[in-house]
């Protein structure tokens, strides 16, 4: 997949005594999130325009970005009822198709920023249903991306006796009475190991198992790069929303390898005391952290370490 942020350069300060600052090989916004941000900013009202522009739910799990979008004229609508007119932007996680239909019915302009990799999961789920498979989604129940996939797996997929089911772990799969033809798709942020365990649990019970591996590499690339860097650094800074699951997971991975790990949302939180005697400072950021936020953190660390 293409990546818009793969900053590998070690940035040594020109002062002999200053620590080395290094950004993880994969850090910050993934392709789909950056694309959604760009689409939202492109849809923002121009000066003097009175058009209402809203994202349907927070565009990404990063309060600073949500605030910056609001400053650019892109507001937040929790539901379609909050967006009476104008434009709604569908976030990278995607939605059930009925939401887009309802937005059109209300006369709203829809900017669909669903990540193309998530769209692939929708298309795969729809095809499996058409071909008579009982669809299983490996993922986190209730997650907006998973809800969107379910919505594409059949009209009644969100009903109590749903045709499609969500499985988080192998233990969940063992509890289901799956048989016949089962088709499996995967929430994009799942791990290959969890998928393998679920597949192993389902396989003995079904006549046919068709697995469409829809995992996106962005999450695992960031986690592996964070672990590699944290192992080499004596201080790690993780930049991104405290409400972002993938950023919190990066902070945990870094803390496991580097005791002096700090999770910040913005550069102003950085504290000079964190870097006392540090020789090698690592920086990483979740898939919902724009490149500028990483750059601001680097600049501030350089100032603090002067
Ligand atoms: Fe898309 Fe992968 Fe990011 S599915 S939103 S590029 S994590």
């Amino acid at each position: 997949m293409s990546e818009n942020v793969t900053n590998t350069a070690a940035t040594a300060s020109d002062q002999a005594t200053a620590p080395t600052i290094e950004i993880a090989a994969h850090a910050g916004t993934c392709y789909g999130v950056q694309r959604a941000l760009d689409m939202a900013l492109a849809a923002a009202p121009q000066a003097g325009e009175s058009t209402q522009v809203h994202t349907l739910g927070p565009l990404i799990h990063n309060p600073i970005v949500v605030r910056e979008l609001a400053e650019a004229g892109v507001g937040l609508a929790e539901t379609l009822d909050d967006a009476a007119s104008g434009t709604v932007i569908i976030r990278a996680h995607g939605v059930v198709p009925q939401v887009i239909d309802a937005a059109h019915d209300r006369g709203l302009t829809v900017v669909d920023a669903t990540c193309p990799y998530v769209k692939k999961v929708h298309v795969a789920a729809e095809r499996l249903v058409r071909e008579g498979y009982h669809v299983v989604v490996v993922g986190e129940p209730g997650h907006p991306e998973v809800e969107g996939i379910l919505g594409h797996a059949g009209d009644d997929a969100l009903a109590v006796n749903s045709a499609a089911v969500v499985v988080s772990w192998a233990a969940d799969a063992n509890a289901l009475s799956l048989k016949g033809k089962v088709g499996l798709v995967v929430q994009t942020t799942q791990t290959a190991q969890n998928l393998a365990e679920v597949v192993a649990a389902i396989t003995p019970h079904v006549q046919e198992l068709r697995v469409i591996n829809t995992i996106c590499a962005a999450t695992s690339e960031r986690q592996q790069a964070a672990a590699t860097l944290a192992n080499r650094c004596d201080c790690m800074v993780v930049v991104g929303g405290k409400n972002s699951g993938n950023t919190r997971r990066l902070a945990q991975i870094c803390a496991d390898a580097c005791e002096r790990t700090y999770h910040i949302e913005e550069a102003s939180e950085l504290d000079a005391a964190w870097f006392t005697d540090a020789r090698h400072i690592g920086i990483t950021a979740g898939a919902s952290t724009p490149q500028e936020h990483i750059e601001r953190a680097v600049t501030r660390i350089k100032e603090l370490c002067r």
Side-chain angles (χ1 to χ4, degrees):
M1 55 166 287
S2 57
E3 288 283 347
N4 63 326
V5 178
T6 51
N7 196 341
T8 56
T11 314
S13 164
D14 46 8
Q15 292 183 34
T17 54
T20 298
I21 302 170
E22 183 176 351
I23 300 170
H26 296 277
T29 42
C30 60
Y31 162 73
V33 165
Q34 188 59 50
R35 177 177 174 272
L37 276 171
D38 292 345
M39 290 171 82
L41 289 172
Q46 301 300 305
E49 268 185 5
S50 58
T51 327
Q52 300 274 314
V53 180
H54 293 95
T55 62
L56 194 55
L59 194 68
I60 52 179
H61 290 138
N62 187 319
I64 313 296
V65 172
V66 171
R67 190 184 72 210
E68 288 170 350
L69 282 171
E71 286 164 4
V74 179
L76 170 61
E78 290 296 347
T79 68
L80 286 178
D81 290 337
D82 301 329
S85 64
T87 298
V88 282
I89 300 160
I90 305 299
R91 55 193 177 175
H93 287 319
V95 290
V96 300
Q98 293 87 341
V99 167
I100 292 183
D101 293 344
H104 284 307
D105 290 347
R106 291 171 183 224
L108 296 166
T109 301
V110 176
V111 173
D112 187 357
T114 304
C115 175
Y117 298 111
V118 175
K119 286 245 185 202
K120 276 191 181 175
V121 194
H122 295 171
V123 170
E126 285 165 1
R127 197 175 66 229
L128 287 169
V129 170
R130 271 199 314 275
E131 294 175 2
Y133 289 88
H134 183 178
V135 173
V136 171
V137 183
V138 181
E140 189 187 326
H143 187 283
E145 181 190 325
V146 172
E147 295 290 303
I149 297 166
L150 287 174
H152 286 265
D155 284 339
D156 61 349
L158 292 171
V160 176
N161 293 317
S162 158
V165 288
V166 183
V167 163
S168 300
W169 315 106
D172 297 348
N174 285 326
L176 293 171
S177 55
L178 292 168
K179 46 187 185 288
K181 285 170 61 170
V182 170
L184 197 150
V185 292
V186 197
Q187 183 182 0
T188 53
T189 49
Q190 287 286 301
T191 64
Q193 184 179 339
N194 192 43
L195 171 60
E197 288 169 8
V198 170
V199 168
I202 293 176
T203 302
H205 306 290
V206 300
Q207 190 188 354
E208 180 187 339
L209 178 61
R210 178 134 178 236
V211 179
I212 304 184
N213 181 355
T214 46
I215 293 173
C216 166
T219 304
S220 60
E221 283 172 350
R222 277 155 188 69
Q223 292 177 354
Q224 282 162 17
T228 302
L229 182 58
N231 270 307
R232 292 194 273 113
C233 289
D234 45 16
C235 188
M236 281 295 295
V237 173
V238 183
V239 188
K242 300 264 168 74
N243 59 344
S244 157
N246 79 77
T247 308
R248 285 202 308 269
R249 178 79 189 113
L250 283 184
Q252 185 57 54
I253 288 168
C254 292
D256 289 346
C258 176
E259 206 178 315
R260 291 165 71 185
T261 291
Y262 303 95
H263 179 177
I264 59 161
E265 287 189 343
E266 54 189 331
S268 60
E269 296 166 46
L270 290 162
D271 184 337
W274 297 349
F275 308 115
T276 307
D277 299 328
R279 302 308 319 140
H280 193 174
I281 300 168
I283 301 189
T284 189
S288 49
T289 307
Q291 183 67 24
E292 308 90 81
H293 293 203
I294 301 175
E295 285 162 10
R296 283 180 216 156
V298 171
T299 303
R300 184 65 187 139
I301 292 170
K302 283 182 180 171
E303 286 167 3
L304 293 171
C305 292
R306 252 182 217 145

